[in-house]
Amino acid sequence: MTDRNDGNGTAMTDGGTATGDSTLANVRDSISWWRIALYAALAVIGVYFLIPIEAGLVTSFKTGDSVIRTAPYAPPGPGGFTLDNWAGAFDALAPGLVNSLIMTVPATVLGALFGSLAAYGLTQISWRGQIPILALFVAGVFIPYQAVLVPLSQFWSMIPLEELLSPLWALPFFHPYQTDLIELIVTHTAYGIPICTVLFRGYYVGLSEEMIEAARLDGASAFGIYRRVVLPLSAPMFAVTLIYQFTQIWNELLFALILIGGAGSPAAPVTLSLVGLGASLEGIDFGLRMAGAFLTALPTLLVFIIFGDQFARGVAGGGT
């Protein structure tokens, strides 16, 4: 082993340099193989989850004969491609899509807003009894749908909602059957407040106490602090709750089945309308049903695309 100078006055040895280069090479090799294994595993998982989606999407463009003659994941054969499934699914589901939007949008916004207000009162305002109230909100998150079906139906049967709202039926775009949608809006709003409160509380705990205190010193009221300071900082968590609530309410079937009854009602949301789509005495039209399923899922996908950036910020951590 010989000593040599690296040109900067630092003595080096051939053995030491060789050992260092070998160690770095081993680290690079291990990182490289680890990355390859990770990407390979992610690719396998991605393909595993995408195959059913690809099969459903391909089936939605097949004729009835093509569905029978080809494999589920194979493209349509010659003469087997059609857009009639999508047109038929849209015609059948259009009223349900409108009803679902009328039901989901108000319930989503109201649930998130009331949850935000409740969480603000449980974090930024000091008052006695906060812990028991918070425990009630947390308990509300874990109440299963099945446990409230009977009292829910009895509750709405005792309220003459159609009579109370009778002045609205003389206005355009209002119909008596929409009382069923109002029942669903109130029900989903109430059921969504606990989870929204818990999510917003975790976010508000991380808010800057200096900003809140500065607003108090400036003479802002509790509601003024919420409106001017807390609410503008809540956009990421509103995105989280809006996406979560919209997806839950849009895809929900049990409450609609109990309060509305079936797909024959003019107030039926799209989840009820989708149940019997493509079913007949001759069998099930899988192409029509797959097209209907993708049409039904499209609004939730659009909501996630619109609020995706804010959603990531809200999940990453609290406010600043």
Side-chain angles (χ1 to χ4, degrees):
M1 180 173 65
T2 59
D3 294 335
R4 59 188 177 85
N5 194 286
D6 64 355
N8 295 321
T10 304
M12 301 178 64
T13 63
D14 293 339
T17 303
T19 302
D21 292 342
S22 176
T23 302
L24 291 175
N26 291 335
V27 171
R28 285 196 298 268
D29 290 342
S30 63
I31 293 176
S32 177
W33 282 110
W34 181 83
R35 284 180 176 273
I36 293 174
L38 176 62
Y39 291 149
L42 291 176
V44 171
I45 295 173
V47 170
Y48 177 78
F49 281 100
L50 289 176
I51 284 178
I53 298 177
E54 187 270 343
L57 186 61
V58 170
T59 302
S60 69
F61 291 105
K62 293 180 180 181
T63 61
D65 292 337
S66 180
V67 171
I68 297 173
R69 288 187 288 101
T70 61
Y73 50 83
F81 179 84
T82 181
L83 294 176
D84 293 341
N85 293 329
W86 286 82
F90 182 79
D91 291 339
L93 297 178
L97 290 169
V98 173
N99 290 335
S100 290
L101 285 174
I102 294 174
M103 171 191 70
T104 305
V105 173
T108 300
V109 174
L110 291 175
L113 181 60
F114 290 151
S116 173
L117 287 168
Y120 171 70
L122 290 169
T123 53
Q124 302 298 332
I125 301 176
S126 298
W127 49 282
R128 297 178 61 182
Q130 283 181 311
I131 301 302
I133 298 299
L134 177 60
L136 290 177
F137 279 107
V138 174
V141 176
F142 298 99
I143 298 177
Y145 282 13
Q146 294 82 353
V148 300
L149 294 181
V150 173
L152 181 67
S153 60
Q154 291 178 344
F155 170 78
W156 286 116
S157 65
M158 293 186 299
I159 298 179
L161 194 60
E162 186 172 339
E163 297 178 8
L164 293 175
L165 300 178
S166 57
L168 295 178
W169 313 142
L171 301 175
F173 308 110
F174 287 93
H175 304 279
Y177 73 83
Q178 292 175 342
T179 54
D180 294 333
L181 294 177
I182 294 175
E183 292 176 1
L184 287 174
I185 291 172
V186 175
T187 300
H188 283 299
T189 299
Y191 211 90
I193 288 175
I195 183 62
C196 290
T197 301
V198 173
L199 291 173
F200 271 108
R201 186 181 185 278
Y203 185 81
Y204 288 161
V205 167
L207 288 178
S208 172
E209 296 182 0
E210 289 77 8
M211 287 191 298
I212 304 296
E213 189 61 29
R216 289 196 182 101
L217 293 176
D218 288 340
S221 63
F223 183 75
I225 294 175
Y226 174 80
R227 182 171 60 87
R228 298 178 182 177
V229 179
V230 176
L231 189 59
L233 296 174
S234 303
M237 187 48 63
F238 266 106
V240 173
T241 54
L242 289 177
I243 290 176
Y244 176 82
Q245 281 293 96
F246 189 94
T247 303
Q248 290 290 106
I249 298 172
W250 183 271
N251 294 327
E252 197 277 327
L253 175 65
L254 198 54
F255 285 159
L257 189 62
I258 295 300
L259 296 180
I260 292 180
S265 171
V270 70
T271 49
L272 284 180
S273 303
L274 186 63
V275 171
L277 184 66
S280 65
L281 295 176
E282 291 78 15
I284 298 177
D285 188 341
F286 291 102
L288 181 62
R289 180 162 289 188
M290 287 298 102
F294 278 97
L295 279 176
T296 303
L298 186 60
T300 56
L301 178 63
L302 293 177
V303 168
F304 188 85
I305 292 174
I306 294 172
F307 297 103
D309 292 340
Q310 293 290 338
F311 178 86
R313 289 179 55 194
V315 171
T320 57

